[in-house]
Amino acid sequence: MTTIQHAAANLPERSHLTAAQGDPFGNARAQLRDAVTILGYDDGMYELLANPRRELTVAVPLHRDSGEMELLIGHRVQHNVSRGPAKGGLRYSPDVTLDEVRALAMWMTWKCALLDVPYGGAKGGIRIDPRHYSCSELERVTRRYTSEISPLIGPDHDIPAPDVGTDEQTMAWIMDTYSVQKGHTVLGVSTGKPVSLGGSLGRATSTSRGVVHVALAALRSRGIQPEGATAAVQGFGKVGRHAARFLHDAGVRIVTVSDQYGAIRADGGLDIAVLEGHVDATGSVTGFADADPTSNDNLLAADVDLLVPAAVEGVIHVGNAMQVKATVVVEGANGPTTPEADRLLNAAGTLVVPDILANAGGVIVSYFEWVQANQAYWWGADEVETRLAKRMLTAWEHVSTHAEKLQVPLRTAATCLAVERVAQAALLRGLYP
Ligand code: NAD
């Protein structure tokens, strides 16, 4: 089935770095607290926004191919639905916790509000290492999980999408399971589906395209022209891989990339197309012939113009933030920088483009996919790309102007803009007794 799950099957266990570090939900709440304080809302509004609207934890029993039975645990969290149906990815990872899912759901609420797509925020996760399961086992896990969370999901309720460890095949299984239960095909229940099954052209690369649109704008805002600039990209999955390619296409020299198995470096620049062939064949960037081995720690400390963390949460923390030399950090991943590290980077003058802006391209084109599915009318690739670029660059302008006006970092400006929109929607709707 997927390159993620099968090409990597023979690789060694994950490095200690794979586990997300820190406390993502605590970090998300700290960012919210800052925004609520600046906006002048009271503690009641903070509590309303700091706590998820709904959470469902489900047991997912699985018959392994061997005949043994195993029990997996899954979650679906809807953080806020004031502005529309809940929207957010589904993560398959051995590191999934309820608190991580809560944080990711909250960030989805802000992201959707910031980009002005008519959704609230949600996230799902199953605690599973997909590399150790066959395709048919993963199908059974996905279908059972979908069935268990079916009271929550639906095109008008909550719409899952791919995240770490899941892909378009996972979304096809979710769509099919939900549709079979309903007795008719419901294309709008998930996004990030295969194009041949109601997916949108451009969705698979949309997060990365969005990352690169704002990365190039951010570099230029610091007087750095993309042609000849240097970059480091952490993570070579659905986000990092295409981001590296699009940056390379824009003339940026990618000198170091990594994945959960290790990192590689080539000061003259990596040939991303050749590297992609190596990753398809082996499941990892490690062992690439035209580069030297290095480490994720070295990647984060690389002397480059642009750093794109595109793997997991908490990788830039108080212990390594001062080693970051990049002029611009663009958060392809959700929550890669802890609040303490964020403060250190800001104090050092590093421009940090926050996740809720930088990686919003995925949810924008998920929104386009949902619109197309609900109308049963499909757009061309150029239309998707033009609309995506316009939304990303408009949001970039909006956030950077607001940061300038308030004299605050981009993250604070972006979170304030988003929280204000969600709070206003909540106030206008009022409290149903
Ligand atoms: P993925 O599973 O396709 O790829 C993750 C990559 O990160 C893999 O190359 C993996 O080997 C690597 N990795 C994992 N742990 C690592 C570590 N500790 N150090 C270095 N590399 C590590 O996942 P993805 O969809 O590319 O998601 C990456 C990040 O982007 C996540 O934070 C996700 O929430 C976020 N994101 C994804 C999308 C999307 O559309 N897929 C949209 C918005 C945000």
Side-chain angles (χ1 to χ4, degrees):
M1 178 201 67
T2 71
T3 49
I4 310 166
Q5 286 135 5
H6 286 259
N10 297 323
L11 286 162
E13 284 300 309
R14 297 163 302 130
S15 76
H16 71 284
L17 266 168
T18 305
Q21 299 185 31
D23 168 18
F25 193 42
N27 295 347
R29 285 179 149 193
Q31 292 159 359
L32 171 65
R33 175 58 86 183
D34 286 349
V36 164
T37 304
I38 291 173
L39 292 167
Y41 288 114
D42 60 17
D43 278 353
M45 180 58 81
Y46 169 77
E47 290 299 333
L48 183 74
L49 300 177
N51 291 287
R53 168 81 176 251
R54 291 191 191 102
E55 302 179 344
L56 184 58
T57 293
V58 295
V60 183
L62 167 71
H63 271 303
R64 301 289 312 246
D65 293 342
S66 63
E68 286 168 20
M69 207 271 278
E70 186 176 315
L71 191 74
L72 300 159
I73 297 297
H75 310 283
R76 186 74 190 171
V77 173
Q78 295 177 350
H79 169 255
N80 188 286
V81 292
S82 294
R83 299 182 72 257
K87 183 89 187 80
L90 172 61
R91 180 172 291 196
Y92 286 1
S93 159
D95 304 315
V96 161
T97 63
L98 181 54
D99 264 357
E100 181 189 55
V101 179
R102 288 170 169 153
L104 291 163
M106 186 189 292
W107 287 322
M108 281 306 296
T109 301
W110 312 144
K111 197 179 300 182
C112 294
L114 182 66
L115 274 294
D116 204 16
V117 293
Y119 293 135
K123 203 80 180 189
I126 301 180
R127 201 173 174 87
I128 181 173
D129 187 342
R131 291 173 307 133
H132 299 315
Y133 293 78
S134 70
C135 181
S136 57
E137 287 172 335
L138 290 170
E139 178 174 357
R140 292 198 289 280
V141 167
T142 303
R143 289 186 183 279
R144 180 62 184 251
Y145 170 79
T146 304
S147 176
E148 291 294 335
I149 66 162
S150 62
L152 289 192
I153 61 171
D156 299 324
H157 301 78
D158 182 351
I159 306 127
D163 192 75
V164 174
T166 60
D167 60 11
E168 60 180 31
Q169 175 64 78
T170 323
M171 296 305 116
W173 289 327
I174 290 176
M175 189 280 281
D176 182 70
T177 305
Y178 183 85
S179 298
V180 169
Q181 288 188 349
K182 292 289 166 194
H184 61 100
T185 298
V186 187
L187 291 178
V189 67
S190 61
T191 60
K193 300 184 298 300
V195 171
S196 56
L197 199 63
S200 176
L201 293 170
R203 171 62 183 90
T205 53
S206 56
T207 307
S208 318
R209 280 211 185 274
V211 165
V212 173
H213 284 309
V214 294
L216 300 183
L219 284 171
R220 290 193 181 103
S221 78
R222 287 293 169 110
I224 302 169
Q225 290 311 311
E227 301 78 14
T230 53
V233 179
Q234 184 188 49
F236 209 72
K238 293 185 292 297
V239 179
R241 173 182 179 144
H242 301 300
R245 178 153 37 82
F246 296 143
L247 285 168
H248 182 264
D249 293 348
V252 176
R253 187 155 43 97
I254 313 292
V255 295
T256 173
V257 301
S258 71
D259 59 26
Q260 67 202 90
Y261 308 105
I264 55 170
R265 176 165 188 137
D267 288 342
L270 291 157
D271 186 327
I272 300 300
V274 180
L275 175 60
E276 287 190 275
H278 171 80
V279 171
D280 287 341
T282 67
S284 172
V285 299
T286 57
F288 183 50
D290 299 331
D292 297 319
T294 182
S295 66
N296 268 286
D297 287 343
N298 287 340
L299 178 145
L300 294 171
D303 192 1
V304 286
D305 299 304
L306 171 68
L307 170 62
V308 182
V312 288
E313 300 96 81
V315 292
I316 305 177
H317 47 80
V318 72
N320 64 8
M322 293 311 290
Q323 284 147 29
V324 171
K325 296 183 196 69
T327 309
V328 175
V329 176
V330 176
E331 295 184 335
N334 286 308
T337 313
T338 66
E340 298 81 4
D342 210 21
R343 275 189 276 280
L344 291 171
L345 291 177
N346 287 322
T350 308
L351 183 66
V352 181
V353 183
D355 45 8
I356 60 171
L357 169 61
N359 68 36
V363 78
I364 291 172
V365 178
S366 272
Y367 166 50
F368 296 164
E369 179 177 335
W370 179 77
V371 168
Q372 293 169 79
N374 291 344
Q375 297 183 344
Y377 181 81
W378 307 99
W379 307 350
D382 285 354
E383 182 166 4
V384 172
E385 169 52 18
T386 305
R387 287 175 186 259
L388 168 65
K390 189 170 174 204
R391 277 185 182 256
M392 289 302 299
L393 293 173
T394 302
W396 159 260
E397 285 300 328
H398 203 175
V399 171
S400 40
T401 308
H402 203 57
E404 189 86 8
K405 187 173 139 201
L406 299 184
Q407 287 295 298
V408 295
L410 294 176
R411 188 187 316 279
T412 310
T415 310
C416 284
L417 285 167
V419 170
E420 175 75 355
R421 285 183 184 162
V422 177
Q424 283 305 312
L427 290 170
L428 284 168
R429 288 178 68 147
L431 296 183
Y432 182 59

Coordinates of all heavy atoms in Angstrom, one line a residue, residues 132-189:
H132 N 4.8 -1.7 11.5 CA 4.8 -3.1 12.0 C 3.5 -3.9 11.7 O 3.3 -4.9 12.2 CB 5.1 -3.2 13.5 CG 6.5 -2.6 13.8 ND1 7.6 -2.9 13.1 CD2 6.9 -1.7 14.7 CE1 8.7 -2.2 13.5 NE2 8.2 -1.5 14.6
Y133 N 2.7 -3.3 10.8 CA 1.4 -3.9 10.5 C 1.2 -4.0 9.0 O 1.7 -3.1 8.3 CB 0.2 -3.0 11.1 CG 0.2 -3.0 12.6 CD1 1.2 -2.2 13.3 CD2 -0.6 -3.9 13.3 CE1 1.2 -2.3 14.7 CE2 -0.6 -3.9 14.7 CZ 0.3 -3.1 15.4 OH 0.4 -3.2 16.7
S134 N 0.6 -5.1 8.6 CA 0.4 -5.3 7.1 C -0.7 -4.3 6.6 O -1.5 -3.8 7.4 CB -0.1 -6.7 6.9 OG -1.4 -6.9 7.4
C135 N -0.8 -4.3 5.3 CA -1.8 -3.4 4.7 C -3.2 -3.8 5.2 O -4.0 -3.0 5.5 CB -1.7 -3.5 3.2 SG -2.8 -2.5 2.3
S136 N -3.5 -5.1 5.2 CA -4.8 -5.6 5.5 C -5.1 -5.3 7.0 O -6.2 -5.0 7.4 CB -5.1 -7.0 5.2 OG -4.2 -7.8 5.7
E137 N -4.1 -5.4 7.9 CA -4.2 -5.1 9.3 C -4.6 -3.6 9.5 O -5.5 -3.3 10.2 CB -3.0 -5.5 10.1 CG -2.8 -7.0 10.3 CD -1.4 -7.3 10.9 OE1 -0.5 -6.5 10.8 OE2 -1.4 -8.4 11.5
L138 N -3.9 -2.8 8.7 CA -4.1 -1.3 8.8 C -5.5 -1.0 8.3 O -6.2 -0.1 8.8 CB -3.1 -0.6 8.0 CG -1.7 -0.6 8.7 CD1 -0.6 0.0 7.7 CD2 -1.7 0.2 10.0
E139 N -6.0 -1.7 7.3 CA -7.3 -1.5 6.8 C -8.3 -1.9 7.9 O -9.3 -1.1 8.2 CB -7.6 -2.3 5.5 CG -9.0 -2.2 5.1 CD -9.3 -2.8 3.7 OE1 -8.4 -3.4 3.1 OE2 -10.5 -2.8 3.3
R140 N -8.1 -3.0 8.6 CA -9.1 -3.4 9.6 C -9.1 -2.4 10.8 O -10.1 -2.1 11.3 CB -8.7 -4.8 10.1 CG -9.0 -5.9 9.1 CD -9.1 -7.3 9.7 NE -7.8 -7.8 10.2 CZ -6.8 -8.4 9.5 NH1 -7.0 -8.5 8.2 NH2 -5.7 -8.9 10.0
V141 N -7.9 -1.9 11.2 CA -7.8 -0.9 12.2 C -8.5 0.3 11.8 O -9.3 0.9 12.6 CB -6.3 -0.6 12.5 CG1 -6.2 0.6 13.4 CG2 -5.6 -1.8 13.2
T142 N -8.3 0.8 10.6 CA -8.9 2.0 10.2 C -10.5 1.9 10.1 O -11.2 2.8 10.6 CB -8.4 2.4 8.8 OG1 -7.0 2.5 8.8 CG2 -9.0 3.7 8.3
R143 N -10.9 0.8 9.6 CA -12.4 0.6 9.5 C -13.0 0.5 10.9 O -14.1 1.1 11.1 CB -12.7 -0.6 8.6 CG -12.4 -0.4 7.2 CD -12.8 -1.6 6.3 NE -12.5 -1.5 4.9 CZ -13.2 -0.8 4.0 NH1 -14.2 -0.1 4.4 NH2 -12.8 -0.8 2.8
R144 N -12.4 -0.2 11.8 CA -13.0 -0.4 13.1 C -13.0 1.0 13.9 O -14.0 1.4 14.5 CB -12.2 -1.4 13.9 CG -12.8 -1.6 15.3 CD -14.2 -2.1 15.3 NE -14.8 -2.3 16.6 CZ -15.0 -3.4 17.2 NH1 -14.8 -4.6 16.6 NH2 -15.5 -3.4 18.5
Y145 N -11.9 1.7 13.8 CA -11.8 3.0 14.4 C -12.8 4.0 13.8 O -13.5 4.7 14.5 CB -10.3 3.6 14.1 CG -10.2 5.1 14.5 CD1 -10.0 5.5 15.8 CD2 -10.2 6.0 13.5 CE1 -9.9 6.8 16.2 CE2 -10.0 7.4 13.8 CZ -9.8 7.8 15.2 OH -9.7 9.1 15.5
T146 N -13.0 3.9 12.5 CA -14.0 4.8 11.8 C -15.4 4.5 12.3 O -16.2 5.4 12.6 CB -14.0 4.6 10.3 OG1 -12.6 4.8 9.8 CG2 -14.9 5.5 9.6
S147 N -15.7 3.2 12.5 CA -17.0 2.8 13.0 C -17.2 3.3 14.4 O -18.2 3.8 14.7 CB -17.1 1.2 12.9 OG -18.3 0.8 13.4
E148 N -16.1 3.2 15.2 CA -16.2 3.6 16.6 C -16.5 5.1 16.7 O -17.1 5.5 17.6 CB -15.0 3.2 17.4 CG -14.8 1.7 17.6 CD -15.9 1.1 18.5 OE1 -16.5 1.8 19.3 OE2 -16.2 -0.2 18.3
I149 N -15.8 5.9 15.9 CA -16.0 7.3 16.0 C -17.1 7.9 15.1 O -17.3 9.1 15.0 CB -14.7 8.1 15.7 CG1 -14.2 7.9 14.3 CG2 -13.6 7.7 16.7 CD1 -13.2 9.0 13.8
S150 N -17.8 7.0 14.4 CA -18.8 7.4 13.5 C -19.9 8.3 14.1 O -20.5 9.2 13.3 CB -19.5 6.3 12.7 OG -20.1 5.4 13.6
P151 N -20.2 8.2 15.4 CA -21.2 9.2 15.9 C -20.7 10.6 15.8 O -21.5 11.6 15.8 CB -21.3 8.8 17.4 CG -20.9 7.4 17.5 CD -19.9 7.2 16.4
L152 N -19.4 10.8 15.7 CA -18.8 12.2 15.7 C -18.6 12.7 14.3 O -18.6 13.9 14.0 CB -17.5 12.2 16.4 CG -17.4 12.1 17.9 CD1 -16.0 12.5 18.4 CD2 -18.5 13.0 18.6
I153 N -18.2 11.8 13.3 CA -17.8 12.4 12.0 C -18.9 12.5 11.0 O -20.0 11.9 11.2 CB -16.6 11.5 11.5 CG1 -17.0 10.1 11.2 CG2 -15.4 11.6 12.4 CD1 -16.0 9.2 10.4
G154 N -18.6 13.1 9.9 CA -19.6 13.3 8.8 C -19.3 14.6 8.1 O -18.6 15.5 8.7
P155 N -19.7 14.8 6.9 CA -19.3 16.0 6.1 C -19.8 17.3 6.8 O -19.2 18.4 6.5 CB -20.0 15.8 4.8 CG -21.0 14.7 5.0 CD -20.5 13.9 6.1
D156 N -20.9 17.2 7.6 CA -21.3 18.5 8.3 C -20.9 18.5 9.8 O -21.3 19.4 10.5 CB -22.9 18.5 8.3 CG -23.4 18.6 6.9 OD1 -22.7 19.3 6.0 OD2 -24.4 18.0 6.6
H157 N -20.2 17.5 10.2 CA -19.8 17.3 11.6 C -18.3 17.4 11.9 O -17.9 18.3 12.7 CB -20.3 16.0 12.2 CG -21.8 15.8 12.0 ND1 -22.4 15.5 10.8 CD2 -22.8 15.9 12.9 CE1 -23.7 15.4 11.0 NE2 -24.0 15.7 12.3
D158 N -17.6 16.6 11.3 CA -16.2 16.4 11.5 C -15.5 15.7 10.4 O -16.0 14.6 10.1 CB -16.0 15.7 12.9 CG -14.5 15.6 13.3 OD1 -13.6 15.9 12.5 OD2 -14.3 15.1 14.5
I159 N -14.5 16.2 9.8 CA -14.0 15.7 8.5 C -12.5 15.3 8.7 O -11.6 16.3 8.7 CB -14.2 16.7 7.4 CG1 -15.6 17.2 7.3 CG2 -13.7 16.2 6.1 CD1 -15.8 18.6 7.4
P160 N -12.1 14.1 8.9 CA -10.7 13.7 9.0 C -9.9 13.9 7.7 O -10.4 14.0 6.6 CB -10.7 12.2 9.4 CG -12.1 11.9 9.8 CD -13.0 12.9 9.0
A161 N -8.6 13.9 7.9 CA -7.6 14.1 6.8 C -6.3 13.4 7.2 O -6.2 13.0 8.3 CB -7.3 15.6 6.5
P162 N -5.4 13.2 6.2 CA -4.1 12.5 6.6 C -3.2 13.4 7.5 O -3.3 14.6 7.5 CB -3.4 12.3 5.2 CG -4.4 12.6 4.2 CD -5.4 13.5 4.8
D163 N -2.5 12.7 8.3 CA -1.4 13.3 9.1 C -0.3 12.3 9.2 O -0.2 11.4 8.4 CB -2.0 13.7 10.5 CG -1.0 14.6 11.3 OD1 -0.9 15.8 11.0 OD2 -0.4 14.1 12.2
V164 N 0.6 12.4 10.2 CA 1.7 11.5 10.4 C 1.2 10.0 10.4 O 0.3 9.7 11.1 CB 2.5 11.8 11.7 CG1 3.6 10.8 11.9 CG2 3.0 13.2 11.7
G165 N 1.8 9.2 9.5 CA 1.5 7.8 9.5 C 0.2 7.4 8.8 O -0.1 6.2 8.7
T166 N -0.5 8.3 8.2 CA -1.7 8.0 7.4 C -1.6 8.6 6.1 O -0.8 9.5 5.9 CB -3.0 8.4 8.1 OG1 -3.0 9.9 8.3 CG2 -3.2 7.8 9.5
D167 N -2.4 8.2 5.1 CA -2.3 8.7 3.8 C -3.6 8.6 3.0 O -4.7 8.4 3.6 CB -1.2 8.0 3.0 CG -1.5 6.5 2.9 OD1 -2.6 6.1 3.2 OD2 -0.6 5.7 2.5
E168 N -3.6 8.8 1.7 CA -4.8 8.8 1.0 C -5.6 7.5 1.0 O -6.8 7.5 1.0 CB -4.6 9.3 -0.5 CG -3.6 8.5 -1.3 CD -3.5 9.0 -2.7 OE1 -3.5 10.2 -2.9 OE2 -3.2 8.2 -3.6
Q169 N -4.8 6.4 1.1 CA -5.5 5.1 1.2 C -6.3 5.0 2.5 O -7.5 4.6 2.6 CB -4.5 4.0 1.1 CG -5.1 2.6 1.4 CD -6.1 2.2 0.3 OE1 -5.7 1.8 -0.8 NE2 -7.4 2.3 0.6
T170 N -5.7 5.5 3.6 CA -6.5 5.6 4.9 C -7.8 6.4 4.7 O -8.8 6.0 5.3 CB -5.6 6.2 6.0 OG1 -4.2 5.9 5.8 CG2 -6.1 5.9 7.4
M171 N -7.7 7.5 4.0 CA -8.9 8.4 3.9 C -9.9 7.7 3.0 O -11.1 7.8 3.2 CB -8.5 9.7 3.2 CG -7.6 10.5 4.1 SD -8.3 10.8 5.8 CE -7.1 10.0 6.8
A172 N -9.5 6.9 2.0 CA -10.4 6.1 1.2 C -11.2 5.1 2.0 O -12.4 4.9 1.9 CB -9.7 5.4 0.0
W173 N -10.4 4.4 2.9 CA -11.1 3.4 3.8 C -12.1 4.1 4.7 O -13.2 3.6 5.0 CB -10.1 2.7 4.7 CG -9.2 1.7 3.9 CD1 -9.5 1.0 2.8 CD2 -7.8 1.4 4.2 NE1 -8.5 0.2 2.4 CE2 -7.4 0.4 3.2 CE3 -6.9 1.8 5.2 CZ2 -6.1 -0.1 3.2 CZ3 -5.6 1.2 5.1 CH2 -5.2 0.3 4.2
I174 N -11.7 5.3 5.3 CA -12.7 6.0 6.1 C -13.9 6.4 5.3 O -15.1 6.1 5.8 CB -12.0 7.3 6.7 CG1 -10.9 6.9 7.7 CG2 -13.1 8.2 7.3 CD1 -10.1 8.1 8.3
M175 N -13.7 6.9 4.1 CA -14.9 7.3 3.3 C -15.8 6.1 3.0 O -17.0 6.1 3.1 CB -14.4 7.9 2.0 CG -15.4 8.6 1.2 SD -16.4 7.4 0.2 CE -15.2 7.1 -1.2
D176 N -15.1 4.9 2.7 CA -15.9 3.7 2.3 C -16.7 3.2 3.6 O -17.9 2.9 3.5 CB -15.0 2.7 1.8 CG -15.8 1.4 1.4 OD1 -16.6 1.5 0.4 OD2 -15.8 0.4 2.1
T177 N -16.0 3.1 4.7 CA -16.7 2.6 5.9 C -17.9 3.4 6.3 O -19.0 2.9 6.6 CB -15.6 2.5 7.1 OG1 -14.5 1.8 6.6 CG2 -16.2 1.9 8.3
Y178 N -17.7 4.7 6.3 CA -18.8 5.6 6.7 C -19.9 5.5 5.6 O -21.1 5.5 6.0 CB -18.2 7.1 6.7 CG -19.2 8.1 7.2 CD1 -19.5 8.3 8.5 CD2 -20.0 8.8 6.2 CE1 -20.4 9.3 8.9 CE2 -20.9 9.8 6.6 CZ -21.1 10.0 8.0 OH -22.0 10.9 8.4
S179 N -19.5 5.4 4.4 CA -20.6 5.4 3.3 C -21.4 4.1 3.4 O -22.6 4.1 3.2 CB -19.9 5.5 1.9 OG -19.2 6.7 1.8
V180 N -20.7 3.0 3.7 CA -21.4 1.7 3.8 C -22.4 1.8 5.0 O -23.5 1.3 4.8 CB -20.4 0.5 4.0 CG1 -21.1 -0.8 4.4 CG2 -19.6 0.3 2.7
Q181 N -22.0 2.4 6.1 CA -22.9 2.5 7.2 C -24.1 3.4 6.8 O -25.2 3.1 7.3 CB -22.2 3.1 8.4 CG -21.2 2.2 9.1 CD -20.6 2.8 10.3 OE1 -20.8 3.9 10.7 NE2 -19.9 1.9 11.1
K182 N -23.9 4.4 6.0 CA -25.0 5.3 5.6 C -25.8 4.7 4.5 O -26.9 5.2 4.3 CB -24.4 6.7 5.2 CG -23.8 7.5 6.3 CD -24.8 8.0 7.2 CE -24.2 8.5 8.5 NZ -25.1 8.7 9.6
G183 N -25.3 3.8 3.7 CA -26.0 3.2 2.6 C -25.9 4.0 1.3 O -26.6 3.6 0.3
H184 N -25.0 5.0 1.3 CA -24.8 5.7 0.1 C -23.4 6.4 0.2 O -22.9 6.5 1.3 CB -25.8 6.7 -0.2 CG -25.9 7.8 0.8 ND1 -25.4 9.1 0.7 CD2 -26.5 7.8 2.1 CE1 -25.6 9.8 1.8 NE2 -26.3 9.0 2.6
T185 N -22.8 6.7 -1.0 CA -21.5 7.2 -1.0 C -21.4 8.7 -0.5 O -22.2 9.5 -1.0 CB -20.9 7.2 -2.4 OG1 -20.8 5.8 -2.8 CG2 -19.5 7.7 -2.5
V186 N -20.6 8.9 0.5 CA -20.5 10.3 1.1 C -19.0 10.7 0.9 O -18.2 10.5 1.7 CB -20.8 10.2 2.6 CG1 -20.9 11.7 3.2 CG2 -22.2 9.6 2.8
L187 N -18.8 11.4 -0.2 CA -17.4 11.8 -0.5 C -16.8 12.8 0.4 O -15.6 12.9 0.7 CB -17.3 12.3 -2.0 CG -17.6 11.3 -3.1 CD1 -17.5 12.0 -4.5 CD2 -16.5 10.2 -3.1
G188 N -17.7 13.6 1.0 CA -17.3 14.8 1.8 C -16.9 14.4 3.3 O -16.6 15.3 4.1
V189 N -16.9 13.1 3.6 CA -16.6 12.7 5.0 C -15.1 12.8 5.4 O -14.8 12.9 6.5 CB -17.2 11.4 5.3 CG1 -16.5 10.2 4.6 CG2 -17.2 11.1 6.8

